[in-house]
Structure formats: structure tokens, C-alpha cells
């Protein structure tokens, strides 16, 4: 896939060299360009870079920037070395102002300015040479020269300074080498048919791989620390480290590559017809430039120069940002991101971070437009995208008050979601679903910091539009939804219950209740909560706005007294006193609501255990009235009546605070005999009470229970008296009705401990058998024996205590001297 990474610009025209003279090698150091020719002449040219505002003679594809780079060359000098052999290689040592020249297997050292040779500085018997890209000596005023000897199978290492040239190491090679590149102690060599690496410090040799013998010239190119680029078999450009491994996939070149150069992140290769550009990052071909009759391709301090026999050209890299933008425009996101990451080493850190963040954002929108939402989300998050950029694509989702303006230049080309999806509603739905999910993820993270109102408002609108269940969760939790915009949106989509929640969150409870009441009354339609009435009651219950509670109290009680009264019964005790919800006021208010009043009084008396006579009496009276009301109905519900009477009887038994005489008058003339008996019992009129239960109702179980609960917590004589009365009542009528006789026997046998056995036996007829009373007699004897033994134990304990006291008193009188004893007595 092609991308325009370089532009080819002519730097030296053919006319600058004499006819018939060909360029054999070249070197560039800063603005100094040196050409070595086939007639043993070195030309020194000044290479001047110019920025043109008008792209004269450039193609439309090249007219992309406001400024265009061109080059001119001016001849500064030339030197004939006096030989008839061609110049083979040139290397500049700019720190020394020296130029190293290889001609006729001899290296000469010239002054880089005047091209004058330095006397006594020649090295003979040289096949080829290179400069160490990572010298080990650390001297900035020396260069490390590595050369292949033409006379023997060795590589020699020289240190070249301004004044002298010194041999520092010579190392043998397995075969005669023909090409060398150096990095620190490591040499990468092309032998006759294979590549090796050689550590000249340790002598360790590492085989790499073979290359075809018919290859014109092996290529060994240093690209980074301890890594080289080699021309391998089958037209492959192979990356190899000094350890003999490859960390990158190979690039595919043509079969006859003449030269290679590095301009990060690209590898350039020259063949007979083209210059090809591959990426180091993904090893893919990015560009092909036609170039015939090329002989040299080299890179010099980041500048790539290519030469034919008689002309020099510069390959100008297009700015990486433009290359990346071109890739993004072609929607080649992965390539753009890879290129951007690779550019990190060539761009200052802060500038790179800004650029890379923007590239990630652009890539995110490209993936978003493709509906690749997972990839888009990761790009948005990693690029710290201003979330409003994404929300702004969705019409009306940002709050109307939002001051947001899109980034310029824009991150994408879309006006809104409709343009992006071209009106496809299925795609629109998917995009909205993605935004909903993404906003819900980030709303509680630092991504949403500073934009919480925009995020929450957009999320509310999306939830409302999609009828999503999370709408209510959003509104009942902490949120920053913009009130007016959100309210109109909820009203538009008929989310009235949610609208009430929005008002409540913004402390507008009156408006919330007004909405909810309209829903319950049927003025607005919203089925979100079928139990909305109970919700409103609970809302009022926990509301601290006293005025609001009283304002809606009538409405809730009219709807349902049983449910509505909870606004008073479920309140905390503190509120009942602090907010003016005192029981007296509520009881007075509830007089017109009979059921609600009854429930509230039950709350006061039975739940809160409030010890006030008026509430107990009032509740008892209401119970009586309720029973009478149920009895007076055309079709009385007997079960309901019994249940209500049970409540009344339980209250009468348990409470001692109500006005007994008032209640007796209240039930006079009714058939509430059981209740009347309980009331007489409260007045200690047990005879009348038992007369009602035994003679009138003939309810022996009730009479027995009456004695039990009335004797609870009383002393033995009181209990015995009460049970004696009941026994006397049974025996009085026993001669007329055998049922009373049976009841008397059961009473004695069931409660033997509650009787004075002697008095009870005196009341019994003489003709009763012992067997009939066996249970009573056994129980009475057991109680008598138990009481006797307990008294004996008490006497024995008292005697023991007396003995202990006497012993302690005797011991004190023996052990304590008289004077101290007197003092002790005084203290006591």
C-alpha cells in the first residue's frame, strides 16, 4: 500500500561535471558535498537547501505544503590525486576537518576544506573501509577507521586523529572479506558467499546466513546499535543483530539491489530502475520512485542522497505528520499508528505527546465511523479525548448551555451522526448504544473530569430515548444533569416519573410531587412504577419539608387511609418532635379519617408503647365502635368481627391506662359480654366478671383464662382467692348442670397449685371420690411438700450463716490486740 514518504529533488545537474566523467562515490557532511569521479578527481560542492513559497515545476501531488524544499550546488574546489584510477570511497571526519579517500587500494587523508593531502598519512593495501558508527575509544577528536586488507585476510582498526594515524588492532577473518560495517567492538563482514559478525576484541565469530554468489555486490548497512541490514538471498533485505538473530521480518527487494539507505522509519533500496521505500516497522513497501541509471544510494546524517553517473539527487522526506495524515485520510489506521510510534525517536517528547494524542483521536473517529466500537473506545481512552468531541456528533445530546466548540483543525470530517451513517437508522441505533455504554463507563473516571454535566446530560437523554432501565439509577445516584435541558427532554419522551426524580435531586420536591400526583390521578401517562402511590407515600414519610407533607396529607389519605397514614406512622421519633408532627396534632387531624386514626392510635399504643390515658382510651373506644359498625352491617363478616373483638380484648387485658367506667358505659346494652367481664376485672369486681363468664356465657375456658391473666404477678393469697371464687361459682350450679361439675373437677386438676387445699376440700361435696381428685391431691401434696422443704432449707441456711458469723467474731477477738480492737470498734 503506497504512501508518499519522499520527494526526489535534483541537487547537481549534469553540466557541473565534464563530459565523459562519471561519479564513482560521494560523501556529504553538513553542507559539504564531495564527489569522487572515475578520472581520480575529487569535487567539493556547497549544498544549499532553499525553501520556496511557490512550487515551481512541481507536480500537483508534490504541491501539498506551503513551503517547498529545493537544493543548489556551488563548486568550492577540486583536487586531482595524480593517478589514473577512479576514486572508490570517500568518508568525511567533520570533527577533524579531514576527508578520507580510497583510491588505488590506498587511503589518503585530505583537508576537508582545501583538499590538500596531509604528508605521511597514507594507508596502503586497502580493499575497502568504513568508520565505526559507535567508536569505543570515546575521544571526540579521533575517528575509528576499520579497513579490509587487500593483501591478507585481516581487518585492521586504525585511530585517525588530526596529526597522526595509529594502528590499534588487527584481526584475522575466516575468508577474504569484501564489505564491512562497524559498531563498537563488532564488525559485520561480507565474505565470499556469506555474512558474519566478528568481535575484534574477543575474536568471537558468528555466522549469519549465505548470499548468492551471482549477487553484484553484497550490502552491509549499520542501522542501529548492534543491528545491521544485509542483502540476503531471493531479494530479501535481512535484519540481523550481532548475536546472529533477527528481531524484524525481512523486507522484499528486487533481485539486483545496488545500494541501501536508512531514513528512520524507512529502508530505501536502489535497483536498476526504481528506488523502493519499505517501513522498518512493518516491513511493508510504502513507495516506489522511478530512477534509472542509478549507481549510488547512501544516507548521511539523516539525509538520503542518490546519484546517477553524472547527477546528484536528494530524497526529501515528507514531514511525518503529513505522512500520518495521508494514511489516516486513507483510513489506514494501523499503519498510521505504527508510523507515529516509530517517529517518537525523532520528535521532542512534549511535541510528540501532543501529536500522538491527536493521531489517536483521529484514528478513534475513523474506527468509530467503521462501527469498530471496541477499537474506537480504546483509542478514545488512551488519547484522553475530550468526550464532548464524541458527544457533539450526536444532535442535541450536549446541553444547550454547553460552551463547547470542536477542535480546529477538526478531528474528523463529519457534521453529525446522520451524515456519518447516511441516515441508516440501524447504524444510528448502534452508535447510540455505543455512546451509552462508553459514557456509563467513564462517567466516574478522570476521563469525565470537568465535563460531568455534559456526560450525565447526554447519558440521561440516551437512556430516556432508548427507554433504558438505567435512567432511574442515574437519577437516584449522584449526577450533574443540566436541569432545564434534561427536564424538557424527559417530558418530550414522556418519562414523567424520571422527571420527578430529576426535580427531587435538584431539591425541587414540590415540582416532583406535582408530577407524580398527576401520574397517579391519570392526568399523565407513565407506567414506570405500578406502585407509584406507595412510592409517593414513602417519599412524604421521609421528607423533612413539613409544609409539603401537610399539603399532600389529605390527598394520600383520600386515596388510601391504610397506606396514606404511613406518612405519620413511619416517621422517626426525632421528626415527631422537631418538625411539628406531634401525636396530638396528628390525632386531631385524622379525626375525619376513621381507619387512618385507628391505625395511628395502634401505632402510638401498641408499637411505640406511649403511656398516655387518652390514647389508650381513644383506641379502645374506636375498637368498640368498629365492632359495632361491623355487627350493624347487612351481611356481617363474622371472621372480621371476631378478629376485631380479639384486638379489643387484647387491649383491654394488656393496658391499665384506659378509662374503664367510660368503656363500660360505652358497651352497655351490647352483646360484648366478654369485654364487659374484662372491664369488671380491671375494677377488681371479679365476682361480676366471673358471673358473666360462667353463668351468662357458660364459657369455662374463658373463665379459667380470666383467672390466669388476672393473677399474673400477684401474690399467692390473691391468686387463691380468685380461683376459689371460680370454683365456688361452678359448685353453686353443679347440682343443676353436670357440666359445671366437670368444669370444677377440671379446674382443680389443672391448677392444683393455685388453691389452698384445705379450703378447697371444705367446699367439695363429701361424696366425691379420691380417684376423681387424684391429680388435684397429688399436685397439692407436691406443692405442700415443696413449700415445707424450701422453708427448712431457708432455716438451715440461716443457722449456717449464724454459725459462720460467730466463728468469725471469735477469730477476730483472738488475733487482734485490745488497743487495735478498740480502734476497730471506733471505726465501725
Amino acid at each position: 500500500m503506497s504512501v508518499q514518504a519522499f520527494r526526489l529533488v535534483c541537487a547537481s545537474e549534469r553540466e557541473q561535471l565534464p563530459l565523459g566523467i562519471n561519479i564513482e562515490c560521494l560523501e556529504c557532511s553538513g553542507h559539504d558535498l564531495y564527489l569522487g569521479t572515475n578520472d581520480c578527481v575529487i569535487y567539493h560542492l556547497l549544498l544549499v537547501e532553499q525553501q520556496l513559497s511557490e512550487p515551481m515545476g512541481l507536480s500537483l501531488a508534490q504541491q501539498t505544503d506551503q513551503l517547498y524544499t529545493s537544493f543548489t550546488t556551488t563548486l568550492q574546489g577540486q583536487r586531482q590525486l595524480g593517478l589514473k584510477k577512479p576514486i572508490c570511497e570517500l568518508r568525511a571526519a567533520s570533527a577533524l576537518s579531514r576527508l578520507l579517500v580510497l583510491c588505488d587500494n590506498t587511503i589518503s587523508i585530505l583537508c576537508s576544506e582545501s583538499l590538500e593531502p596531509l604528508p605521511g598519512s597514507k594507508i596502503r593495501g586497502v580493499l575497502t573501509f568504513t568508520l565505526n558508527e559507535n567508536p569505543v575509544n570515546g575521544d571526540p577528536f579521533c575517528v575509528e577507521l576499520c579497513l579490509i586488507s587487500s593483501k591478507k585476510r585481516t581487518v585492521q582498526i586504525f585511530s585517525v586523529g588530526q596529526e597522526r594515524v595509529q594502528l590499534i588492532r588487527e584481526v584475522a577473518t575466516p575468508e577474504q572479506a569484501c564489505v564491512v560495517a562497524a559498531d563498537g567492538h563488532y564488525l559485520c563482514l561480507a565474505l565470499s558467499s556469506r555474512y558474519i559478525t566478528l568481535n575484534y576484541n574477543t575474536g568471537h565469530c558468528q555466522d549469519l546466513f549465505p548470499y548468492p554468489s551471482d549477487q553484484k555486490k553484497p550490502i552491509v548497512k549499520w542501522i542501529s546499535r548492534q543491528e545491521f541490514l544485509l542483502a540476503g538471498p531471493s531479494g530479501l533485505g535481512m535484519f540481523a543483530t550481532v548475536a546472529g538473530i533477527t528481531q524484524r521480518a525481512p523486507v522484499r527487494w528486487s533481485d539486483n539491489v545496488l545500494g541501501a539507505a536508512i531514513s528512520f522509519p524507512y529502508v530505501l533500496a536502489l535497483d536498476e530502475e526504481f528506488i523502493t521505500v519499505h517501513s522498518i516497522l512493518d516491513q511493508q513497501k510504502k513507495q516506489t520512485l522511478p530512477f534509472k541509471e542509478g549507481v549510488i544510494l547512501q544516507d548521511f546524517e539523516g539525509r538520503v542522497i542518490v546519484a546517477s553517473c553524472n547527477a546528484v539527487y536528494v530524497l526529501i522526506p515528507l514531514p511525518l505528520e503529513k505522512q500520518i495524515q495521508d494514511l489516516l485520510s486513507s483510513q489506514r489506521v494501523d499503519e498510521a499508528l505504527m508510523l507515529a510510534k516509530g517517529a517518537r525517536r525523532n520528535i521532542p517528547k512534549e511535541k510528540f505527546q501532543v501529536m500522538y494524542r491527536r493521531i489517536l483521536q483521529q484514528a478513534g473517529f475513523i474506527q468509530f465511523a467503521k462501527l469498530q466500537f471496541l477499537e474506537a473506545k480504546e483509542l478514545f481512552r488512551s488519547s484522553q479525548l475530550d468526550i464532548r468531541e464524541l458527544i457533539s456528533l450526536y444532535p442535541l445530546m450536549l446541553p444547550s448551555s454547553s460552551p463547547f466548540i470542536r477542535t480546529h483543525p477538526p478531528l474528523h470530517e463529519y457534521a453529525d451522526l446522520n451524515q456519518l451513517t447516511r441516515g441508516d437508522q440501524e447504524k444510528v441505533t448502534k452508535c447510540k448504544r455505543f455512546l451509552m455504554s462508553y459514557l456509563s463507563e467513564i462517567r466516574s473516571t478522570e476521563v469525565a473530569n470537568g465535563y460531568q454535566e455534559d456526560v450525565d446530560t447526554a447519558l440521561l437523554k440516551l437512556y430516556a430515548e432508548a427507554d433504558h432501565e438505567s435512567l432511574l439509577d442515574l437519577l437516584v445516584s449522584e449526577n450533574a444533569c443540566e436541569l432545564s435541558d434534561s427536564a424538557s427532554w424527559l417530558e418530550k419522551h414522556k418519562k414523567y416519573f424520571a422527571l420527578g426524580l430529576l426535580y427531587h435531586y435538584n431539591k425541587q420536591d414540590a415540582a416532583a410531587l406535582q408530577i407524580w400526583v398527576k401520574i397517579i390521578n391519570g392526568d399523565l401517562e407513565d407506567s414506570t412504577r405500578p406502585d407509584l402511590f406507595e412510592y409517593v407515600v414513602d417519599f412524604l414519610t421521609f421528607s423533612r419539608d413539613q409544609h409539603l407533607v401537610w399539603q399532600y396529607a389529605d390527598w394520600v389519605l383520600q386515596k388510601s387511609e391504610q397506606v396514606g397514614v404511613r406518612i405519620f406512622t413511619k416517621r422517626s421519633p426525632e421528626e415527631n418532635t422537631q418538625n411539628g408532627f406531634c401525636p396530638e396534632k396528628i390525632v386531631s387531624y385524622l379525626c375525619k379519617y376513621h381507619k387512618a386514626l385507628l391505625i395511628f392510635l395502634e401505632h402510638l399504643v401498641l408499637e411505640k408503647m406511649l403511656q398516655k390515658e387518652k390514647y389508650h382510651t381513644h383506641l379502645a373506644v374506636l375498637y368498640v365502635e368498629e365492632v359495632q359498625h361491623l355487627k350493624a352491617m347487612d351481611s356481617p363478616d363474622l371472621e372480621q368481627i371476631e378478629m376485631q373483638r380479639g384486638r379489643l380484648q387484647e387491649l383491654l387485658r394488656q393496658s391499665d391506662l384506659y378509662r374503664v367506667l367510660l368503656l363500660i358505659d360505652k358497651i352497655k346494652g351490647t352483646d360484648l359480654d366478654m369485654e364487659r367481664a374484662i372491664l369488671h376485672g380491671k375494677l377488681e369486681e371479679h365476682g361480676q366478671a366471673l358471673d358473666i363468664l360462667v353463668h351468662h356465657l357458660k364459657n369455662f375456658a374463658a373463665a379459667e383464662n380470666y383467672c390466669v391473666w388476672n393473677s399474673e404477678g400477684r401474690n399467692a393469697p390473691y391468686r387463691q382467692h380468685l380461683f376459689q371464687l371460680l370454683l365456688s361459682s361452678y359448685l353453686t350450679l353443679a347440682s343443676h348442670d353436670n357440666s359445671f361439675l366437670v368444669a370444677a373437677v377440671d379446674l382443680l386438676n389443672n391448677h392444683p397449685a393455685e388453691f389452698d387445699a384445705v379450703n378447697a376440700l371444705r367446699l367439695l361435696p363429701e361424696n366425691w371420690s379420691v380417684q376423681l381428685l387424684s391429680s388435684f391431691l397429688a399436685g397439692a401434696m407436691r406443692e405442700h411438700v415443696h413449700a415445707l422443704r424450701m422453708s427448712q432449707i431457708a432455716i438451715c441456711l440461716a443457722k449456717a450463716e449464724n454459725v459462720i458469723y460467730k466463728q468469725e467474731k471469735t477469730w477476730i477477738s483472738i488475733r487482734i490486740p485490745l488497743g487495735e480492737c478498740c480502734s476497730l470498734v471506733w471505726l465501725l
Side-chain angles (χ1 to χ4, degrees):
M1 300 180 74
S2 63
V3 61
Q4 187 177 7
F6 292 90
R7 191 169 69 240
L8 191 63
V9 176
C10 182
S12 173
E13 298 293 345
R14 299 173 185 266
E15 291 77 11
Q16 290 186 289
L17 294 176
L19 289 175
I21 301 303
N22 296 330
I23 299 173
E24 294 291 332
C25 60
L26 60 83
E27 169 70 326
C28 183
S29 176
H31 295 292
D32 296 308
L33 177 64
Y34 302 93
L35 303 180
T37 65
N38 59 347
D39 64 344
C40 203
V41 177
I42 301 172
Y43 292 88
H44 178 196
L45 306 176
L46 183 64
L47 183 65
V48 179
E49 182 176 343
Q50 295 179 329
Q51 301 290 336
L52 302 178
S53 58
E54 296 183 3
M56 299 296 294
L58 296 181
S59 67
L60 290 176
Q62 295 170 323
Q63 298 178 22
T64 52
D65 299 324
Q66 292 181 351
L67 295 177
Y68 305 91
T69 303
S70 68
F71 290 90
T72 60
T73 53
T74 305
L75 183 63
Q76 300 296 301
Q78 64 185 61
R79 168 68 60 178
Q80 165 60 250
L81 296 187
L83 300 172
K84 295 183 179 180
K85 299 292 181 75
I87 305 294
C88 296
E89 291 188 40
L90 296 172
R91 290 288 184 273
S94 56
L96 307 177
S97 298
R98 297 292 183 261
L99 181 66
L100 283 69
V101 182
L102 175 61
C103 180
D104 193 21
N105 298 120
T106 301
I107 295 177
S108 302
I109 301 178
L110 312 182
C111 174
S112 59
E113 294 295 330
S114 64
L115 300 183
E116 290 289 337
L118 300 180
S121 59
K122 291 185 178 183
I123 305 173
R124 303 184 186 279
V126 180
L127 182 63
T128 184
F129 76 96
T130 188
L131 297 183
N132 196 331
E133 302 289 348
N134 185 25
V136 295
N137 58 19
D139 186 350
F141 299 103
C142 288
V143 295
E144 194 170 295
L145 175 66
C146 303
L147 61 86
I148 298 174
S149 173
S150 62
K151 298 180 180 179
K152 50 186 176 178
R153 293 183 301 177
T154 61
V155 175
Q156 297 174 339
I157 315 299
F158 284 84
S159 175
V160 180
Q162 285 186 326
E163 302 297 333
R164 65 175 183 167
V165 177
Q166 180 181 3
L167 176 64
I168 59 176
R169 183 68 62 90
E170 184 173 12
V171 59
T173 59
E175 302 175 20
Q176 178 63 47
C178 58
V179 181
V180 63
D183 178 54
H185 287 112
Y186 291 96
L187 303 174
C188 186
L189 300 165
L191 305 181
S192 60
S193 61
R194 61 193 172 107
Y195 293 105
I196 66 167
T197 59
L198 179 65
N199 186 323
Y200 70 75
N201 188 44
T202 64
H204 175 71
C205 181
Q206 174 68 52
D207 277 333
L208 297 179
F209 53 84
Y211 65 88
S213 57
D214 59 346
Q215 186 168 317
K216 287 187 176 181
K217 182 182 179 182
I219 295 175
V220 179
K221 184 72 180 177
W222 178 89
I223 60 171
S224 64
R225 187 174 181 83
Q226 297 188 356
E227 186 176 14
F228 301 92
L229 174 64
L230 312 172
S234 303
L236 294 178
M238 306 287 289
F239 298 92
T241 67
V242 296
I245 60 175
T246 179
Q247 297 174 330
R248 313 175 198 265
V251 295
R252 182 164 291 281
W253 290 335
S254 63
D255 291 333
N256 296 308
V257 175
L258 303 176
I262 301 295
S263 178
F264 195 85
Y266 297 110
V267 175
L268 297 91
L270 173 68
D271 60 27
E272 294 174 350
E273 294 186 352
F274 300 100
I275 300 171
T276 55
V277 180
H278 289 76
S279 171
I280 292 179
L281 305 174
D282 63 4
Q283 293 76 47
Q284 299 298 311
K285 184 188 290 187
K286 301 300 180 181
Q287 187 179 6
T288 301
L289 296 167
F291 193 80
K292 294 184 179 182
E293 300 180 357
V295 293
I296 300 170
L297 176 65
Q298 284 184 260
D299 57 271
F300 306 94
E301 300 174 355
R303 178 178 291 165
V304 180
I305 296 178
V306 61
S308 64
C309 292
N310 48 22
V312 177
Y313 299 83
V314 179
L315 283 164
I316 302 174
L318 271 68
L320 281 174
E321 292 185 45
K322 184 183 185 311
Q323 295 182 44
I324 293 168
Q325 292 303 319
D326 289 343
L327 289 170
L328 291 174
S329 298
S330 303
Q331 298 192 353
R332 291 152 63 182
V333 173
D334 292 339
E335 291 183 68
L337 294 178
M338 189 176 297
L339 182 57
K341 289 178 183 177
R344 184 194 305 265
R345 58 189 282 182
N346 297 331
I347 302 176
K349 182 178 179 181
E350 292 184 3
K351 182 180 179 181
F352 172 78
Q353 288 177 343
V354 173
M355 180 196 78
Y356 189 61
R357 191 179 300 123
R358 177 178 172 83
I359 292 168
L360 288 174
Q361 292 169 357
Q362 291 177 281
F365 279 106
I366 291 172
Q367 299 289 37
F368 175 76
K370 293 179 180 179
L371 306 187
Q372 302 293 325
F373 297 127
L374 287 177
E375 294 82 354
K377 179 172 70 173
E378 290 306 314
L379 290 167
F380 289 151
R381 290 187 78 118
S382 59
S383 66
Q384 301 174 4
L385 175 73
D386 182 340
I387 189 60
R388 297 174 297 176
E389 288 282 357
L390 180 59
I391 299 174
S392 67
L393 270 175
Y394 296 73
L396 304 177
M397 286 298 162
L398 279 174
S400 55
S401 59
S402 176
F404 172 72
I405 299 175
R406 287 184 182 176
T407 300
H408 184 78
L411 297 174
H412 54 80
E413 59 185 6
Y414 306 107
D416 57 25
L417 194 62
N418 293 322
Q419 181 189 353
L420 185 147
T421 60
R422 298 182 180 179
D424 187 328
Q425 289 305 308
E426 184 179 352
K427 292 182 179 179
V428 170
T429 302
K430 289 181 180 179
C431 290
K432 288 185 176 179
R433 199 176 299 138
F434 162 70
L435 182 62
M436 193 187 307
S437 170
Y438 185 48
L439 293 182
S440 64
E441 285 182 25
I442 65 150
R443 66 180 299 263
S444 301
T445 67
E446 60 182 12
V447 178
N449 283 352
Y451 316 125
Q452 199 67 50
E453 181 179 285
D454 304 88
V455 170
D456 285 356
T457 303
L459 199 52
L460 177 142
K461 292 179 178 181
L462 290 166
Y463 284 156
E465 192 174 67
D467 194 20
H468 199 279
E469 58 186 8
S470 297
L471 174 63
L472 304 184
D473 296 332
L474 173 66
L475 290 171
V476 298
S477 61
E478 184 178 354
N479 67 81
C481 298
E482 202 276 326
L483 179 58
S484 60
D485 207 22
S486 300
S488 60
W489 191 270
L490 292 173
E491 192 169 356
K492 172 185 174 183
H493 289 84
K494 298 184 179 180
K495 299 296 178 184
Y496 300 113
F497 175 71
L499 178 58
L501 291 178
L502 177 68
Y503 283 133
H504 168 58
Y505 184 81
N506 287 275
K507 304 188 184 329
Q508 298 186 19
D509 289 352
L513 280 169
Q514 187 177 8
I515 294 290
W516 293 333
V517 167
K518 286 183 178 180
I519 297 173
I520 296 170
N521 290 339
D523 300 330
L524 296 175
E525 186 176 348
D526 186 346
S527 59
T528 302
R529 286 202 66 143
D531 61 340
L532 182 57
F533 177 69
E534 287 79 3
Y535 179 86
V536 170
V537 169
D538 290 339
F539 182 85
L540 289 170
T541 300
F542 295 100
S543 174
R544 295 184 175 274
D545 189 336
Q546 178 182 349
H547 173 74
L548 199 62
V549 175
W550 288 112
Q551 179 183 347
Y552 285 95
D554 276 326
W555 178 79
V556 296
L557 290 167
Q558 288 168 8
K559 283 287 181 183
S560 172
E561 291 186 39
Q562 288 180 313
V563 177
V565 74
R566 294 207 308 247
I567 65 174
F568 301 119
T569 60
K570 299 298 182 182
R571 289 196 167 274
S572 63
E574 295 79 11
E575 281 193 271
N576 289 341
T577 56
Q578 294 176 2
N579 278 358
F581 292 101
C582 59
E584 290 84 356
K585 184 176 181 180
I586 297 172
V587 169
S588 175
Y589 177 78
L590 292 177
C591 285
K592 53 185 176 181
Y593 301 104
H594 179 79
K595 289 183 181 178
L597 178 59
L598 181 63
I599 295 171
F600 184 70
L601 287 172
E602 286 179 335
H603 168 69
L604 294 179
V605 173
L606 304 179
E607 294 179 19
K608 295 183 66 178
M609 309 294 289
L610 210 59
Q611 302 298 308
K612 285 194 176 182
E613 173 271 325
K614 60 180 178 180
Y615 299 139
H616 287 245
T617 302
H618 199 166
L619 179 59
V621 169
L622 289 179
Y623 277 155
V624 172
E625 291 176 351
E626 182 67 16
V627 171
Q628 291 174 342
H629 171 71
L630 292 172
K631 286 178 173 290
M633 294 176 65
D634 295 336
S635 300
D637 186 342
L638 297 180
E639 184 178 351
Q640 186 70 21
I641 292 172
E642 286 304 314
M643 185 175 67
Q644 195 63 38
R645 287 189 68 184
R647 292 176 181 171
L648 172 59
Q649 292 167 17
E650 184 67 19
L651 174 66
L652 296 178
R653 290 191 194 98
Q654 298 297 329
S655 175
D656 295 324
L657 297 177
Y658 55 82
R659 295 165 61 187
V660 180
L661 294 177
L662 175 65
L663 291 173
I664 290 176
D665 289 341
K666 185 73 176 177
I667 64 175
K668 187 182 292 183
T670 68
D671 60 351
L672 301 180
D673 298 317
M674 181 70 72
E675 290 79 0
R676 187 162 56 252
I678 296 172
L679 290 171
H680 282 297
K682 289 292 183 178
L683 294 174
E684 298 293 331
E685 297 173 352
H686 300 302
Q688 294 185 44
L690 291 173
D691 183 64
I692 294 171
L693 296 173
V694 175
H695 299 143
H696 186 65
L697 296 177
K698 292 186 178 181
N699 191 335
F700 305 136
E704 193 172 326
N705 288 333
Y706 173 85
C707 292
V708 171
W709 68 261
N710 265 295
S711 63
E712 286 180 356
R714 301 299 185 103
N715 57 24
Y718 186 92
R719 296 198 305 272
Q720 292 171 0
H721 171 69
L722 196 56
F723 277 90
Q724 196 90 3
L725 280 177
L726 180 56
L727 179 62
S728 298
S729 298
Y730 285 158
L731 294 175
T732 302
L733 301 173
S735 58
H736 303 290
D737 191 339
N738 284 336
S739 62
F740 289 99
L741 182 63
V742 174
V745 174
D746 288 342
L747 180 65
L748 287 167
N749 290 333
N750 291 337
H751 301 280
E754 305 298 342
F755 287 94
D756 182 339
V758 176
N759 292 333
L761 290 173
R762 288 173 181 169
L763 293 175
L764 300 180
E766 294 180 356
N767 59 349
W768 282 20
S769 66
V770 173
Q771 184 179 1
L772 185 66
L773 299 172
S774 60
S775 296
F776 167 69
L777 293 173
M781 286 299 295
R782 188 181 301 110
E783 182 65 23
H784 176 72
V785 171
H786 175 70
L788 179 62
R789 289 175 177 172
M790 291 299 292
S791 62
Q792 289 174 347
I793 290 172
I795 291 171
C796 291
L797 288 173
K799 287 180 179 180
E801 186 178 1
N802 186 45
V803 170
I804 292 171
Y805 174 74
K806 287 180 178 180
Q807 291 291 335
E808 289 178 349
K809 186 175 180 182
T810 302
W811 182 80
I812 291 173
S813 64
I814 293 172
R815 297 294 299 272
I816 302 177
L818 180 62
E820 294 182 11
C821 184
C822 294
S823 300
L824 181 60
V825 171
W826 180 82
L827 289 172
L828 293 172

